[in-house]
Amino acid sequence: AKRTGRLKPVVFSQEHERDVREMALMERTLREADLDAEFFLTFQPIVDSHEDRTLLLECLARWQSPVLGFVSPGRFIVAAEQSGFISNLTPVLLRKALAAIKQWPDEVGISFNLSGHDIVASEKVLALIAILMQSGVSPRRVEFEVTETALMMNLDEALANIHRLKATGARISLDDFGTGYSSLSQIQKLPLDKIKVDGSFVRDLEKNEASRKIVSSVSALSRDLSLSCVVEGVETREQLDILQGIGCRLIQGYFYSKPMREEDVGRFLEQQSGV
Ligand code: C2E
Ligand code: CA
Ligand code: CA
Ligand code: CA
């Protein structure tokens, strides 16, 4: 903390150093991890709220490290993205996701998160496509979620690679919509199938008219562009009612279910279909 620049308060700098050290430890631990054994996926339903029917399960990574214990994705995904290590992890997770979906009815798909590093390099995308094609799972059951930030790492490369993914029959959705910097003109360039409205707009939906207006315009925009639209982070009945009132039908969030362990998904789907 001695080398602190004059303008930075010492407290901030110490915190910063701790973050840097933690990140370095995490990156080292990641490099030495047994990816297949330590990482697993949880699955959160994306529901057609008019029919209470699950259309897709979003695959969300979890890390149980023998060294660090349970690490939340908010931390390890960031570390893995910073170091570029994520591109070692993504294929492992995709294999797990494709193995899982085979146990579930054909009408149910998966939605799989990709990072910037995954989509800027064509050889990495081709490797993911090979995993998909060799899995025996119909690519029509698979969606890939990308974020604006990831795309902006290198828009031209990302665009070419998204076209490659789409050519398999898989769908593409734009995650965390509304939190990035991308303009509508950039969105227009992308071969998207779906927009996911970030949960931050839902949190204060009941009290905040501005949030309601934003969600409602995004929903209208997606209709105009013939895209489907999912609203994330829906936790309460009130939020769901408001969203349905403004024409949002596809819903994801704790209101329906938290991310589930693989072994719990089958039962959830059965209960939903009234079996
Ligand atoms: P995301 O892709 O935006 O995923 C949604 C996050 O919101 C998940 O957090 C999910 O558990 C949480 N969530 C869902 N419904 C609700 C709700 O109603 N209320 C609240 N408060 N939260 C809700 P999670 O699982 O901790 O993941 C955090 C982020 O880590 C993800 O955000 C995604 O950016 C990243 N991530 C997770 N798994 C993967 C992965 O396999 N690959 C990549 N590249 N990123 C991943
Ligand atoms: Ca996502
Ligand atoms: Ca999201
Ligand atoms: Ca997010």
Side-chain angles (χ1 to χ4, degrees), residues 175-176 198 232:
D175 199 3
D176 298 349
D198 193 68
E232 296 188 289

Side-chain angles (χ1 to χ4, degrees), residues 58 60 113 145 175-176 196 232:
E58 180 175 0
L60 293 159
N113 290 286
E145 299 191 8
D175 199 3
D176 298 349
K196 295 187 78 175
E232 296 188 289

Side-chain angles (χ1 to χ4, degrees), residues 1 16 102-103 132 140 146 150 164 209 216 227 232:
H16 179 71
K102 287 184 185 172
Q103 315 161 75
L132 173 59
R140 304 231 157 262
V146 296
R164 291 188 174 102
E209 201 191 344
S216 141
L227 301 173
E232 296 188 289

Side-chain angles (χ1 to χ4, degrees), residues 220-231:
L221 171 76
S222 69
R223 260 192 304 276
D224 289 347
L225 296 173
S226 305
L227 301 173
S228 32
C229 177
V230 172
V231 182

Side-chain angles (χ1 to χ4, degrees), residues 1-4 8-18:
K2 269 275 146 63
R3 283 169 285 107
T4 313
K8 281 184 189 166
V10 172
V11 182
F12 176 81
S13 163
Q14 279 173 347
E15 234 169 62
H16 179 71
E17 264 178 41
R18 186 156 30 84

Side-chain angles (χ1 to χ4, degrees), residues 27 30-31 35 39 61 73 75-94 112-120 124 128 153:
E27 283 170 16
L30 273 174
R31 277 198 304 276
L35 301 185
F39 286 84
R75 291 163 67 219
F76 75 75
I77 293 285
V78 172
E81 283 178 342
Q82 270 183 18
S83 58
F85 185 83
I86 188 80
S87 48
N88 298 70
L89 184 57
T90 304
V92 174
L93 296 174
L94 183 60
F112 186 85
N113 290 286
L114 293 179
S115 294
H117 288 283
D118 300 320
I119 49 167
V120 289
K124 285 170 188 158
L128 295 176
M153 275 174 67

